[in-house]
Amino acid sequence: MARTVVVTGGGTGIGLAVARRFTEAGDAVTIVGRRREVLERAAESLGATVRPLVCDLADADAVEALLKELPSSIDVLVNNAGSRETVPGAGPHAVLARWRGDFERNVLTAVLLTESVRDRLAPGQGRVVTISSIAAVRGAGSYGASKAALHAWNHFMAAQLGPSGITANVVAPGTVAGTEFFGSRLDEAELVRRASRTLVGRVGEPDDVAAAVHFLASPEAGYITGEILHCNGGELLGR
């Protein structure tokens, strides 16, 4: 049976791969992001069952307006929207801008939407999957701290949603090629270096993460909640 799926940051990279995975399974998918052209291009490539909605998910007013457009019942919510703040400088204003930017773009984008649609998550089968990062456990300044905050928040959400039969889990990718995250920094030499740090001899692809998300959103994963699924090829071993 087709499910109703919402994927944030669904226009490129991991989010696009996740949206494609659910679309190919026959689900009705809504992709949400800040850039209209990117979203519309993604929706066109994915097919008629995909609906693009533009929203700055770190803006409470924008999220409130978005609620009118979102499905009244949501089976799967994938919190993928996020970015790394790159404000230069070492003074207090630059530090504040980096930390505030990373918190807003990585934490609030997940929290504001999830809290706003809690009553729409399907009882007994709803799934919330949030994309974190290897940086949350390895450490990476404001970006790593913001992703680590998602881990603590996910534990809270799992406890809140569990009595309704709804699960909440995190997927924490390692290095993933084919996204906008690294920009020009991920050249061939850097790809080789990062691949050598894994146990499988390669970096990840968006489809690797999409597969992990799709599993945690599946009926078969109904007894898994409050977990962090590391998807990094053994670059950093979990405990």
Side-chain angles (χ1 to χ4, degrees):
M1 185 174 70
R3 295 184 295 173
T4 302
V5 180
V6 176
V7 181
T8 70
T12 62
I14 291 172
L16 179 59
V18 169
R20 181 178 297 110
R21 186 89 179 200
F22 284 104
T23 302
E24 291 175 347
D27 296 320
V29 179
T30 299
I31 55 175
V32 183
R34 289 182 291 168
R35 298 175 294 176
R36 182 179 302 277
E37 286 187 9
V38 171
L39 287 175
E40 291 179 346
R41 186 164 58 246
E44 184 178 356
S45 72
L46 293 172
T49 61
V50 177
R51 185 184 182 205
L53 294 177
V54 178
C55 179
D56 181 350
L57 294 167
D59 183 324
D61 291 334
V63 172
E64 193 167 40
L66 176 70
L67 296 178
K68 303 171 186 176
E69 304 296 327
L70 289 175
S72 58
S73 178
I74 299 172
D75 295 303
V76 181
L77 171 61
V78 181
N79 293 309
N80 170 72
S83 62
R84 185 169 192 164
E85 189 59 69
T86 57
V87 175
H93 291 287
V95 172
L96 176 62
R98 283 197 301 274
W99 279 80
R100 178 175 287 164
D102 276 332
F103 185 82
E104 289 179 352
R105 295 299 174 200
N106 295 294
V107 180
L108 292 186
T109 49
V111 173
L112 290 180
L113 181 60
T114 305
E115 294 285 2
S116 297
V117 300
R118 277 178 61 169
D119 293 341
R120 303 188 191 192
L121 296 171
Q125 66 184 45
R127 304 282 186 265
V128 178
V129 183
T130 300
I131 305 301
S132 171
S133 169
I134 193 173
V137 288
R138 171 173 282 162
S142 56
Y143 178 73
S146 68
K147 290 299 190 179
L150 291 175
H151 294 187
W153 170 72
N154 181 73
H155 294 331
F156 169 78
M157 288 306 300
Q160 293 287 303
L161 299 173
S164 298
I166 300 167
T167 67
N169 292 288
V170 166
V171 175
T175 301
V176 177
T179 75
E180 297 179 337
F181 181 80
F182 293 101
S184 60
R185 291 180 295 146
L186 201 61
D187 57 18
E188 188 61 33
E190 183 64 8
L191 279 171
V192 170
R193 188 183 74 83
R194 287 173 178 261
S196 70
R197 299 194 310 202
T198 72
L199 300 182
V200 296
R202 69 174 179 88
V203 299
E205 298 291 339
D207 285 341
D208 293 317
V209 184
V213 171
H214 197 258
F215 165 68
L216 289 174
S218 70
E220 290 81 2
Y223 201 53
I224 301 173
T225 194
E227 292 295 330
I228 300 165
L229 176 56
H230 294 281
C231 184
N232 60 40
E235 183 177 353
L236 184 67
L237 298 180
R239 293 289 187 270

